[in-house]
Amino acid sequence: MAGSGPHERSERRSAGELEASVLAALGAAERPLTPAEVQAELGGGLAYNTVHTVLTRLYGKGLVLRDGGGRRGAYRPARDAAELSAEAMHDALDRGPDPIAVLQHFVTGLSAGEARALKELLDEEGPPRRRHGAK
């Protein structure tokens, strides 16, 4: 069976890596991309069906939007990279038993410029707002 030997298996990307690669390709594009265009952007010999499956999964998760229908539809990110990163940070806070301790560790790892920007953002925004679903 082609592509099932140990060497090929070790070079396979995980589903998460494929999704991240596809999202990065869509995020870098200035317009929605078709599955064939995403495939060309990714290179690396990925099959069209693999790229289409990843896009379908991302669409099902609400991470991409589809313009047009069927296989000929073009895809674009539902949110920009900053929004996705912020969502991941919120998820990390929600998973831990002590979100304040997580924030303390996070803040101590910031560069001086990042810490200054965070302080300015907090000063501009006023007191933090409670997120929907936050503890």
Side-chain angles (χ1 to χ4, degrees):
M1 174 190 245
S4 62
H7 180 68
E8 289 83 357
R9 193 171 293 145
S10 67
E11 291 182 8
R12 275 190 165 167
R13 293 185 245 182
S14 72
E17 289 174 313
L18 282 172
E19 288 182 356
S21 296
V22 168
L23 284 171
L26 292 173
E30 294 181 12
R31 61 177 178 75
L33 300 176
T34 65
E37 291 170 327
V38 173
Q39 179 188 24
E41 286 294 317
L42 295 177
L46 285 175
Y48 176 91
N49 287 344
T50 300
V51 174
H52 189 263
T53 297
V54 171
L55 285 165
T56 300
R57 286 184 187 150
L58 291 170
Y59 178 75
K61 293 177 181 182
L63 296 174
V64 299
L65 302 173
R66 184 171 44 216
D67 298 337
R71 288 182 165 250
R72 300 203 192 290
Y75 294 81
R76 59 189 164 89
R79 296 180 291 281
D80 67 26
E83 290 172 310
L84 291 171
S85 294
E87 185 176 310
M89 292 166 72
H90 286 295
D91 290 345
L93 284 174
D94 291 343
R95 277 193 309 271
D98 187 354
I100 300 305
V102 173
L103 283 172
Q104 286 173 323
H105 286 284
F106 176 76
V107 169
T108 60
L110 295 176
S111 70
E114 291 166 338
R116 201 169 27 258
L118 178 60
K119 183 174 179 355
E120 288 172 10
L121 286 169
L122 290 172
D123 289 345
E124 287 174 16
E125 296 293 322
R129 295 177 295 247
R130 187 173 178 94
R131 290 182 297 117
H132 177 70
K135 296 173 186 170

